[in-house]
Amino acid sequence: MWAKRGFFILLVTLITWACRGRAETPPPSPSPSPSVPHTPAAVASPEPELQRHRAPTPTATSTPTPPPLPAGWACRGTEGPAGRLAFVRDGDLWIRELPEGAPLRLTAGGGMRMPRWSPSGRWLAALAQESEIQIFDAQGRLLQRLPGTDFRWSPKEDRLAVRTADGALMGLSPGGTPRTLLPAGTGVSRIAWSPDGRWIAYSGLRVLEGEKDLYTGQPGARYAFLGRVRAEGGPPQELLHAGRPSAYGLLLAGWTPDGQALLYWVDPMFSGSILADGFPLRLLPARGGPSRSLTVEPMLAYEDFLAPSPTGGDRIAVVVGGYRGAWTNKRLHLLSARTGEGQALSPPLLAVSSPAWSADGTRIAFVAMPDRGDLMGGEDARQGLLQRRLFVVDVADEPQWRQLTDDPAYRDEYPRWAGEWILFVRLDRWDRASLWAIPAAGGTPCGVVEALDPRGDWFGYYGHLDWGNFLDVWSPPASGR
């Protein structure tokens, strides 16, 4: 563990020097760590390296036939949150009006993931077969299909930004004709809207055919960059690159809540294995200027480990702590993007995941489990993860946290707010996923959806499951409830 931390410190020092402004020359390559072997061949083709670090095969546990969920588990009548729910079951897309609507299946044939409601709740988009964006209305009618491999809704209006397989960036309103914002070949990989909906930030990677790669020495150098473009179109603005050829990747994480800066991670040596153990979150002013580290410690590059305040300002909730295992060394901090100061929010000796803000910006829900060190895999990891519980911390004044759940039959995951209710996923010891709700002030949980994907996967990637691939909830504004 100390060897890894020393390696992280060395990497942070090198990257901090390299990211002071627009990189003109690549930083020196970090020295290999004895605990993480690297060769130019492994860097050029990271998959063999990743295979060496894959999670151990989970230990099969012989169990009897799973019993049905307990009688009376479901929310009754008007009990429960109001809003609209989208979820994936057996690879197909479903929706349900909350609290009393019946589930409605929208697709057949599988291959659906990442459902997302538009800001108004009138439209639902989802990724189909990793190559197509499908848009539905709130009643479940298919409106539009278009090529795409990723998308994001504007936070202010019902407009989509779509990344295509050929690295282009498109913009459109539901039912409208896509408009090219960045052409094919740009190499866009990640996208994020600014909080005011005026800009779309992007990170990406292009291949420079006429130049040699820094690590392989072969033609086809990698060029990593960060930029932004106006949502209505116009000349793109490249804000940062990682040298030509690039010595490391740049991965967009989002925006600060006030829209003044971009958040990103460095992908050291283009190594998926190094990145899997975390890297500090960095901040880059949107109008130009030197970048800086926002977290001193590394953090895992997961979307649900980073939560900017929904009410503006400069507060960002992050899960900090290096090492790929989500079951150890993960703490919830509240950071100021302006000053860089941080405040610990989570109880001691707990490993935290998935912070989520209430709409009014006064509370943060999260899940946490006892931190008993590196569980590695097998039955120790399964039993440890079954102790994940739901918490809420009040951040309006002096932080005060409360534990909301404590049922030993379930592992709690991925809280989402819906007014004064919190929806959250539960996994039982048969690895069945279901969706539940509980009042944010505390009370008895009740069931919302009996089954959703993924089926039979309790391990994910070292204890982390990307639940955003399988569900989304839209809640009406407070004035509309």
Side-chain angles (χ1 to χ4, degrees):
M1 183 62 75
W2 288 110
K4 285 190 175 182
R5 289 183 179 177
F7 182 54
F8 286 136
I9 292 171
L10 175 61
L11 282 175
V12 171
T13 302
L14 292 171
I15 298 303
T16 299
W17 176 86
C19 293
R20 291 174 295 176
R22 291 172 54 89
E24 299 299 334
T25 57
S29 299
S31 301
S33 163
S35 60
V36 186
H38 297 285
T39 65
V43 171
S45 181
E47 189 57 30
E49 178 187 10
L50 281 170
Q51 288 294 344
R52 290 198 298 272
H53 295 279
R54 293 292 186 198
T57 303
T59 301
T61 303
S62 178
T63 57
T65 302
L69 292 173
W73 78 284
C75 300
R76 300 176 182 175
T78 59
E79 178 189 21
R84 289 177 179 146
L85 176 68
F87 61 97
V88 177
R89 177 188 292 168
D90 295 329
D92 287 317
L93 184 60
W94 296 66
I95 60 174
R96 181 186 166 189
E97 198 81 16
L98 300 175
E100 298 182 89
L104 176 65
R105 184 176 180 174
L106 305 189
T107 66
M112 302 297 294
R113 73 174 182 91
M114 206 174 81
R116 294 291 186 272
W117 290 103
S118 69
S120 71
R122 293 182 56 200
W123 310 102
L124 175 69
L127 183 61
Q129 308 297 337
E130 303 298 326
S131 61
E132 181 180 80
I133 311 300
Q134 296 186 6
I135 304 175
F136 302 81
D137 66 17
Q139 288 70 49
R141 295 183 289 259
L142 180 63
L143 173 73
Q144 190 173 10
R145 300 172 184 259
L146 63 150
T149 55
D150 194 13
F151 68 92
R152 294 293 185 274
W153 286 105
S154 163
K156 292 297 184 182
E157 56 182 323
D158 292 349
R159 293 179 64 189
L160 273 172
V162 174
R163 183 195 73 197
T164 63
D166 56 10
L169 178 64
M170 316 296 288
L172 76 154
S173 298
T177 301
R179 177 180 181 180
T180 300
L181 301 176
L182 296 171
T186 301
V188 173
S189 59
R190 294 189 176 207
I191 53 178
W193 288 82
S194 62
D196 61 9
R198 297 174 59 191
W199 294 88
I200 303 170
Y202 54 88
S203 63
L205 190 68
R206 285 198 296 275
V207 175
L208 308 176
E209 298 293 350
E211 302 182 31
K212 292 184 178 180
D213 188 81
L214 185 65
Y215 295 109
T216 67
Q218 300 299 313
R222 288 169 284 194
Y223 179 78
F225 55 87
L226 280 172
R228 67 174 185 169
V229 64
R230 290 190 179 276
E232 66 269 19
Q237 300 177 8
E238 185 176 280
L239 302 176
L240 182 70
H241 65 81
R244 186 184 178 109
S246 293
Y248 49 87
L250 300 169
L251 304 178
L252 180 67
W255 292 74
T256 56
D258 57 11
Q260 297 300 305
L262 277 61
L263 304 171
Y264 71 99
W265 293 287
V266 166
D267 180 5
M269 300 174 65
F270 300 100
S271 168
S273 184
I274 299 177
L275 185 65
D277 284 321
F279 213 80
L281 181 67
R282 296 188 63 84
L283 180 148
L284 176 69
R287 296 183 179 180
S291 67
R292 59 181 171 87
S293 288
L294 190 57
T295 63
V296 176
E297 295 183 77
M299 64 173 293
L300 302 188
Y302 292 139
E303 187 173 337
D304 64 332
F305 273 33
L306 173 70
S309 168
T311 57
D314 71 340
R315 297 194 301 175
I316 304 172
V318 297
V319 176
V320 298
Y323 179 65
R324 65 195 64 190
W327 45 63
T328 187
N329 191 34
K330 303 295 178 286
R331 299 170 304 283
L332 180 60
H333 285 193
L334 186 60
L335 304 179
S336 166
R338 181 177 56 84
T339 67
E341 295 178 352
Q343 181 181 29
L345 296 181
S346 54
L349 304 180
L350 292 180
V352 173
S353 293
S354 303
W357 288 86
S358 61
D360 62 5
T362 63
R363 292 155 294 172
I364 300 173
F366 61 93
V367 293
M369 59 179 284
D371 186 343
R372 296 196 172 96
D374 188 5
L375 300 176
M376 296 297 290
E379 194 60 23
D380 286 346
R382 178 195 286 270
Q383 293 302 320
L385 290 165
L386 272 171
Q387 297 180 58
R388 244 181 213 155
R389 303 290 179 255
L390 178 63
F391 294 77
V392 167
V393 58
D394 191 324
V395 294
D397 296 304
E398 191 67 23
Q400 298 180 2
W401 58 267
R402 292 175 289 113
Q403 183 173 337
L404 298 185
T405 61
D406 192 22
D407 190 332
Y410 297 100
R411 156 186 168 184
D412 300 331
E413 298 271 350
Y414 200 62
R416 302 288 97 182
W417 289 82
E420 288 301 310
W421 286 77
I422 300 172
L423 289 94
F424 63 103
V425 178
R426 282 190 145 172
L427 281 173
D428 64 15
R429 64 190 182 98
W430 289 275
D431 307 327
R432 298 179 301 182
S434 52
L435 188 67
W436 297 63
I438 190 171
T444 302
C446 60
V448 178
V449 172
E450 186 172 1
L452 68 156
D453 289 351
R455 302 292 186 97
D457 183 8
W458 63 270
F459 196 88
Y461 188 77
Y462 289 88
H464 178 267
L465 285 140
D466 189 357
W467 294 104
N469 278 326
F470 309 113
L471 69 101
D472 190 40
V473 61
W474 174 84
S475 183
S479 59
R481 294 187 192 121

